[in-house]
């Protein structure tokens, strides 16, 4: 996909891999919506990159929050052409701690953010992309999911993270098959 003049949403875009993606897209002439919970970092990055970047405070596991980020892209730049799902957390916690089984909350939150959040961004971003006019090769948009080698080779204490990233890896091919007919690539 041509990046220049196109608009991209990057979840988890205020730091780490997400921020690197935001900077690369902006350097290639793309417009970027930085979707992240870290408002100070997101606003600083948007200010650094100038008028082609906007920050949207976003909880990827919340429908309204993600929809607001997609709406910001549409309202500000007229379309959404790509989305990179980088938002994630990495909880390091064994099944059993000193006092017995660890609480379920950490596992659930990791699945909610990393797996459900990825799916949530994919479904709402792709819905916006369905309205794009296809380019000369029939493409309307692209979705890039971020998994990890941990999806296939998790370490002790990574049960939640490994399960979440394994889920991201596992759902990417079915999503690609489903959205290909609409000209939306998923990888």
């Amino acid at each position: 996909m041509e990046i220049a003049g196109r608009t991209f949403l990057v979840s988890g875009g205020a730091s780490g891999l997400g921020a690197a993606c935001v900077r690369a897209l902006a350097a290639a002439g793309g417009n970027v919506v930085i979707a992240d919970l870290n408002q100070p970092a997101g606003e600083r990055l948007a200010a650094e990159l100038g008028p082609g970047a906007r920050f949207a405070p976003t909880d990827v596991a919340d429908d309204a929050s993600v929809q607001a980020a997609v709406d910001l892209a549409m309202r500000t730049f007229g379309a959404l052409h790509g989305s990179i799902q980088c938002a994630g957390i990495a909880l390091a916690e064994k099944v059993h701690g000193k006092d017995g089984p660890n609480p379920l909350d950490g596992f659930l939150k990791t699945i909610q953010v990393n797996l459900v959040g990825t799916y949530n961004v994919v479904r709402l971003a792709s819905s916006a992309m369905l309205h794009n006019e296809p380019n000369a090769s029939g493409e309307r948009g692209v979705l890039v999911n971020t998994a990890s080698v941990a999806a296939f080779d998790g370490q002790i204490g990574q049960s939640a993270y490994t399960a979440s990233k394994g889920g991201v890896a596992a759902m990417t091919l079915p999503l690609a098959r489903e959205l290909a007919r609409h000209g939306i690539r998923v990888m």
Side-chain angles (χ1 to χ4, degrees):
M1 167 171 280
E2 177 67 37
I3 294 174
R6 302 288 195 278
T7 301
F8 300 85
L9 183 146
V10 181
S11 71
S15 64
L17 177 63
C21 291
V22 166
R23 283 188 170 91
L25 290 165
N31 301 309
V32 187
V33 172
I34 304 161
D36 204 299
L37 285 174
N38 188 338
Q39 188 162 353
E43 288 177 346
R44 272 193 310 274
L45 183 55
E48 171 192 322
L49 297 175
R54 296 289 188 280
F55 172 73
T58 307
D59 174 353
V60 293
D62 178 72
D63 287 359
S65 183
V66 174
Q67 189 62 58
V70 170
D71 290 346
L72 176 64
M74 301 295 288
R75 185 175 60 253
T76 305
F77 302 113
L80 182 61
H81 303 97
S83 180
I84 303 175
Q85 290 60 252
C86 291
I89 58 174
L91 176 69
E93 185 174 78
K94 294 180 180 178
V95 174
H96 293 280
K98 294 177 186 175
D99 300 321
N102 277 313
L104 188 57
D105 295 351
F107 187 91
L108 291 174
K109 181 171 181 161
T110 302
I111 296 295
Q112 189 70 15
V113 172
N114 296 359
L115 179 58
V116 175
T118 295
Y119 180 80
N120 195 31
V121 175
V122 164
R123 74 185 188 87
L124 295 172
S126 64
S127 181
M129 291 174 200
L130 288 172
H131 301 289
N132 294 342
E133 283 296 317
N135 66 16
S137 46
E139 186 175 48
R140 284 190 165 96
V142 62
L143 299 158
V144 180
N145 295 334
T146 304
S148 165
V149 69
F152 310 103
D153 188 21
Q155 303 300 308
I156 293 171
Q158 288 187 326
S159 299
Y161 183 74
T162 295
S164 69
K165 293 304 184 172
V168 169
M171 76 175 170
T172 298
L173 181 58
L175 289 169
R177 288 177 173 151
E178 177 182 345
L179 295 171
R181 77 182 101 192
H182 302 291
I184 299 172
R185 289 183 298 123
V186 184
M187 59 189 80

